[in-house]
Amino acid sequence: MIGPAARVVLGAVFLVSGVSKLRDPDWRTTATRFGLPAVLATPLAYAELVLGALLAAQVAAPWPSEIALGLLALFTGAAAAHAARRDDVPCGCFGAGSSQAPTTWRTVARNVGLCGLAVAATL
């Protein structure tokens, strides 16, 4: 019972994230500062939209949840590295809404929570 609800919530998070990135004219710069190659910035946003839609629509479970968990683990690792170094680099996770403040352990904690949600979504 928790799996379907977790997939919908996780799907909504990925949809909001993807849309926010595409609406942010500075997303490519923010992504590059975070460590993502510029050529992958726009494809990542579209991939998040597709993944979010698959999760929210409950299509092809559990593999969208597993892919989401993999992406979130990568994002969390990168965020932890920036937080540990106290880099003045924003995560840009939600476009302009998260491109002003530096990545902190709070960002990492949020992502760990999302990883837990992704685990629940695989059930």
Side-chain angles (χ1 to χ4, degrees):
M1 179 82 170
I2 193 167
R7 284 191 288 276
V8 169
V9 171
L10 193 60
V13 169
F14 273 96
L15 287 168
V16 168
S17 178
V19 167
S20 298
K21 286 174 177 141
L22 291 172
R23 294 184 64 191
D24 180 4
D26 296 326
W27 160 240
R28 180 172 282 192
T29 301
T30 302
T32 302
R33 287 184 61 207
F34 192 75
L36 185 70
V39 69
L40 295 179
T42 301
L44 174 63
Y46 282 109
E48 287 182 351
L49 288 176
V50 170
L51 188 57
L54 290 171
L55 285 161
Q58 310 282 327
V59 175
W63 71 262
S65 304
E66 294 164 351
I67 291 172
L69 178 58
L71 274 176
L72 287 166
L74 288 171
F75 297 157
T76 303
H82 286 296
R85 291 190 304 258
R86 295 185 180 179
D87 293 339
D88 188 25
V89 176
C91 71
C93 303
F94 294 97
S98 58
S99 64
Q100 303 303 316
T103 302
T104 65
W105 289 109
R106 186 175 183 180
T107 308
V108 175
R110 179 198 62 216
N111 280 14
V112 167
L114 289 171
C115 285
L117 188 62
V119 169
T122 63
L123 304 175

